[in-house]
Amino acid sequence: MERSFDPSLGEEVLLLLVDRDTGDLGPVRPWSLACALAGAALMELSLLRRLDGNQRELFLIDKTGTGNALLDSLMAEIAAEETRSTRFWLERFAARGDEFREAYLDMLADRGIGLAGREEGSTRCPMSLGGERVPSVDLDAARGRVRLRVLRSLLTSEIPEGRDVMMVCLADACALFPGLLSGPELEAAQPRIALMRQMDQIGRAIIDAIWEIEPPVARRRVHAGKPIPEVPGLPFIGNGIGMARDAGDFVLRQYRRFGPVFRVRFAGKRYVVLAGLEANRLVQRRGKDLFRSDAMWHGFAAEFGASRVLVGMDGGEHVRMRRAHRNGYMRTALNDRIPDVVRIVRTHMRGWGDGPLPVVSTMRQIVTEQLGTIIAGFSPREYLDDLNRAMRTLLLSRVVGVAPAALLWTPSQRRARARLRELAERLWSAHAERPEHMQRDLIDDLLDVHAEDPQFLPESDLYVVMLGPFIAGLDTLTAAVSFALHELLTHPDLMAEATREADEAFSTGPPTAAQVDALDVTQRIVLESLRLHPLAAVTMRRAVNTFEFEGHVIPAGSDVMLAYSLPHRLEEVFPDPGRFDIGRFAPDREEHRVPGAYAPFGLGTHRCLGAGLAQLQVVATLTAVLRHAHLAPHPANYRLGIRQFPMVTPNDRFRMRATRRA
């Protein structure tokens, strides 16, 4: 008599995978299978009314045991932790993929579904025991029932039950449908598969994790390692004075003294500094497995009522959010907009007058309006002071940690943040009402993501994410243009060459993007300026896995400073590194091509998404300025002063005179 058959979702995943003729599990990526089996367990708990949640959080609603040892152990782990996201639990449990697979195979064996010869209590796979393979009597029937149910869900118009929706998600995660359906059937079923993916929150999180998160690297055995040297510092202040004076120079001196790994105390925290070529190469190779940025940016997002921002995201969520931003920040977004870049420069130049110009604030007005107009379709001119006031205080307080939190509660700060909220609301309204024929931009893409998946990008996060194009210009691009202007002012021969290039580019009107790319001298001026004046001396991260580097062990949970730009100052990489020399980027030298040597926009998965766009914008802006004005330093003997935080920029005393020439 055939036994009653009521398998769990995990057992059904394995039954879909088993080969009818051999009894072996069919080909599937181990990470995909691990995620699918872990997800099946979470889905089972959801079906049993023990668990509820969405992509953002997962929580127990009933702690009563299920009688299943595997599921009860997962409930105990979830109960012992604070509320976490579905992705968090999926990744944690998927790391135990072999354990899940064996547990589900044991469950099948207990039902009498397996191969002859499986020993009682064995944890070996009953479907791959070696030797003679004789499928059990029940295997074909069990396998057929599961497949029939999945196919019925896909190929009929019946409203699927929740369990069937989950099963489709799991089969999709393991890429099983090409083996279950013919080519035309699969093509016809794709809309149904896509619809069913959206019907279950946990299923959606599983699909995202499998498709967007790389498999974890095998854990390496970590030895005790050499002690990490600590840089001497003052009581309470630690190394704050040295970092505040010149963070890049301070890190370079400690690197020469202690090597590529050392500890500093800054803003009330202890950091492990990783510096040098090999540190940069480590980030390029393994950064996504070793470091996270969310802890550093959580307080910043919270001040806007948001849970996260792009720069503070990691893993699959970060990949997905970068994808949503990609079209807006791609270099090609400027291809047809160089005339707009030039127009905005010329508009601002009309108000320059004959007196000395404050370079940093002047360039901030120009580049922020350029970015806002081109990427977001909106000029932020009337909100610029609010943007600058709010962002500077937030970064200093919540990210860098050198300013007291009390500054955030002042009336001026509250007013500034309210104005930013108003800016975001105006952006939303303007794009919701814009005609269909108007060119799409980043805000349109973000609004689409919000409409399609409001759990992934809720309104609370959308407001701050929409401000990204305006925030990017405040310090990063402002600094890049301002430092390049300083180098032009102190190297008259290079200014003459760049001016000649600008005149040629404008000979028939505003240049095209291709013409801007062909400005050899100006391009190399910008590259060398970014080398000599990197936009950040260090970037803060948190180690999420213990690892060994240069004989030292960096424990999980350590706050880390990654000195991406330190190789810019190394004699062995860039000879005479303190000298401004655009020949470094000539075809016969190309010193920046050494792996890990040149990183003005960061490295790894968090490398600036708009790096290509930024370089094109900086060159186009400089070219427009040189075409329309003669520049001179003010005073003639001015020495560059630098502000270190929140970003490295020239200080507000940097001025120049501009005389109109065209």
Side-chain angles (χ1 to χ4, degrees):
M1 180 177 177
E2 188 177 283
R3 301 183 186 184
S4 64
F5 184 62
D6 186 21
S8 65
L9 288 169
E11 293 171 86
E12 290 185 322
V13 169
L14 296 181
L15 287 171
L16 281 177
L17 280 168
V18 69
D19 185 277
R20 178 178 180 179
D21 297 322
T22 67
D24 287 328
L25 292 180
V28 62
R29 292 190 309 167
W31 177 242
S32 297
L33 179 58
C35 284
L37 293 178
L42 294 175
M43 290 175 175
E44 201 74 47
L45 287 170
S46 175
L47 290 170
L48 293 170
R49 308 289 186 187
R50 301 299 197 276
L51 200 64
D52 198 3
N54 49 45
Q55 288 184 308
R56 298 285 298 281
E57 58 181 353
L58 199 66
F59 47 85
L60 290 175
I61 55 176
D62 183 352
K63 297 182 180 180
T64 306
T66 66
N68 180 291
L70 176 64
L71 299 183
D72 289 347
S73 70
L74 304 190
M75 288 175 58
E77 281 195 52
I78 295 171
E81 286 268 3
E82 60 185 43
T83 300
R84 300 279 194 169
S85 68
T86 301
R87 186 183 301 282
F88 171 88
W89 288 115
L90 180 66
E91 292 186 51
R92 172 181 283 195
F93 294 145
R96 295 158 48 187
D98 288 344
E99 175 189 335
F100 279 76
R101 181 174 65 92
E102 298 303 332
Y104 284 121
L105 289 170
D106 283 342
M107 293 179 200
L108 286 170
D110 289 341
R111 298 178 187 276
I113 301 173
L115 294 182
R118 179 180 168 89
E119 299 172 0
E120 186 176 353
S122 170
T123 58
R124 292 176 296 167
C125 174
M127 304 170 192
S128 57
L129 278 176
E132 185 178 2
R133 290 176 167 82
V134 183
S136 75
V137 174
D138 294 332
L139 179 57
D140 276 354
R143 176 178 173 276
R145 288 172 185 169
V146 176
R147 292 193 171 208
L148 181 61
R149 209 177 77 245
V150 170
L151 293 177
R152 184 185 297 120
S153 298
L154 290 180
L155 303 178
T156 71
S157 58
E158 297 176 11
I159 299 175
E161 296 183 4
R163 187 181 190 88
D164 295 338
V165 170
M166 292 179 175
M167 200 61 227
V168 167
C169 288
L170 293 169
D172 194 30
C174 290
L176 295 182
F177 290 130
L180 295 175
L181 301 170
S182 67
E185 287 175 332
L186 180 58
E187 184 176 355
Q190 285 299 335
R192 180 84 166 172
I193 294 171
L195 174 64
M196 294 177 75
R197 276 189 215 133
Q198 303 301 313
M199 294 173 68
D200 181 73
Q201 295 286 357
I202 296 177
R204 289 164 62 189
I206 292 164
I207 294 294
D208 288 347
I210 294 170
W211 287 355
E212 296 180 350
I213 300 176
E214 291 291 330
V217 296
R219 184 172 177 84
R220 303 178 182 183
R221 180 175 295 178
V222 177
H223 303 284
K226 301 181 293 187
I228 299 176
E230 184 151 351
V231 179
L234 297 173
F236 305 110
I237 298 175
N239 309 112
I241 294 177
M243 294 285 288
R245 285 176 177 166
D246 188 335
D249 180 67
F250 175 82
V251 171
L252 175 64
R253 286 186 283 111
Q254 310 316 317
Y255 172 82
R256 294 298 190 199
R257 180 180 178 185
F258 295 109
V261 183
F262 51 90
R263 292 187 192 275
V264 299
R265 288 184 295 126
F266 174 72
K269 290 185 177 181
R270 296 175 76 231
Y271 291 89
V272 177
V273 180
L274 304 182
L277 283 174
E278 289 305 318
N280 282 2
R281 292 166 185 168
L282 173 75
V283 173
Q284 289 175 309
R285 292 193 311 269
R286 300 180 58 203
K288 63 180 171 45
D289 301 315
L290 301 180
F291 308 111
R292 293 184 71 90
S293 62
D294 50 2
M296 308 303 169
W297 289 90
H298 177 74
F300 177 91
E303 290 296 329
F304 288 97
S307 60
R308 69 239 202 277
V309 291
L310 174 61
V311 71
M313 297 172 71
D314 297 282
E317 283 195 330
H318 181 239
V319 172
R320 186 175 176 187
M321 188 66 85
R322 280 177 73 95
R323 187 179 299 143
H325 283 74
R326 181 174 54 197
N327 291 336
Y329 283 113
M330 283 180 67
R331 186 184 178 283
T332 52
L334 267 183
N335 275 359
D336 300 323
R337 306 297 298 271
I338 300 298
D340 292 318
V341 171
V342 173
R343 174 182 55 78
I344 290 169
V345 170
R346 295 186 66 173
T347 299
H348 280 268
M349 288 180 68
R350 294 191 189 106
W352 282 7
D354 298 326
L357 292 169
V359 175
V360 174
S361 61
T362 300
M363 293 304 116
R364 181 179 292 120
Q365 293 171 14
I366 290 174
V367 299
T368 304
E369 183 163 356
Q370 288 170 342
L371 279 178
T373 301
I374 293 167
I375 297 180
F378 193 94
S379 170
R381 186 180 301 186
E382 63 183 284
Y383 294 94
L384 186 58
D385 289 342
D386 303 293
L387 278 163
N388 191 40
R389 181 179 298 111
M391 287 302 124
R392 179 172 171 77
T393 304
L394 277 168
L395 290 171
L396 288 173
S397 175
R398 292 305 191 196
V399 180
V400 184
V402 297
L407 291 178
L408 298 171
W409 307 331
T410 62
S412 62
Q413 278 295 306
R414 290 200 295 269
R415 282 194 300 270
R417 288 206 295 280
R419 288 272 289 165
L420 299 195
R421 178 81 176 194
E422 177 186 305
L423 169 58
E425 289 173 347
R426 288 184 64 183
L427 275 171
W428 192 332
S429 297
H431 283 73
E433 299 167 1
R434 68 191 302 176
E436 288 292 328
H437 67 271
M438 289 186 65
Q439 183 174 338
R440 287 183 59 86
D441 56 33
L442 174 64
I443 306 302
D444 293 306
D445 292 341
L446 294 176
L447 289 173
D448 283 352
V449 172
H450 167 68
E452 292 165 5
D453 193 348
Q455 288 289 342
F456 173 70
L457 185 55
E459 285 187 27
S460 56
D461 292 357
L462 179 62
Y463 279 112
V464 65
V465 170
M466 285 196 298
L467 296 175
F470 311 107
I471 296 171
L474 288 176
D475 282 319
T476 306
L477 274 170
T478 295
V481 176
S482 299
F483 278 126
L485 282 171
H486 166 75
E487 295 303 336
L488 286 169
L489 290 166
T490 53
H491 296 87
D493 55 332
L494 292 178
M495 185 182 290
E497 282 293 303
T499 301
R500 179 188 58 77
E501 285 189 339
D503 290 344
E504 290 179 1
F506 275 86
S507 60
T508 59
T512 64
Q515 288 175 307
V516 173
D517 282 336
L519 301 174
D520 175 61
V521 172
T522 311
Q523 291 280 357
R524 289 189 285 130
I525 287 170
V526 170
L527 291 172
E528 176 66 345
S529 179
L530 288 169
R531 181 199 69 82
L532 193 59
H533 307 289
L535 307 179
V538 294
T539 299
M540 298 172 184
R541 295 284 186 267
R542 179 161 292 166
V544 292
N545 290 300
T546 300
F547 64 97
E548 187 174 344
F549 177 64
E550 298 291 329
H552 302 279
V553 172
I554 290 80
S558 300
D559 287 325
V560 175
M561 286 184 178
L562 302 173
Y564 291 143
S565 60
L566 181 119
H568 295 196
R569 298 171 177 246
L570 296 181
E571 176 79 30
E572 53 269 36
V573 182
F574 295 99
D576 194 6
R579 183 166 63 91
F580 190 84
D581 177 9
I582 69 170
R584 303 180 194 280
F585 300 90
D588 59 337
R589 289 173 64 180
E590 292 192 329
E591 296 167 6
H592 64 302
R593 297 295 186 189
V594 175
Y598 187 66
F601 295 103
L603 291 168
T605 56
H606 277 275
R607 184 177 184 271
C608 177
L609 183 62
L613 181 148
Q615 185 175 331
L616 179 60
Q617 182 183 352
V618 170
V619 174
T621 300
L622 289 174
T623 302
V625 170
L626 292 175
R627 169 62 176 168
H628 298 296
H630 290 292
L631 306 180
H634 179 85
N637 61 349
Y638 169 75
R639 291 187 60 186
L640 182 67
I642 294 178
R643 188 185 73 192
Q644 293 291 321
F645 302 109
M647 299 287 289
V648 179
T649 63
N651 65 24
D652 293 335
R653 293 192 298 275
F654 178 27
R655 283 169 163 70
M656 68 179 183
R657 289 188 178 276
T659 307
R660 290 184 64 86
R661 61 182 292 260

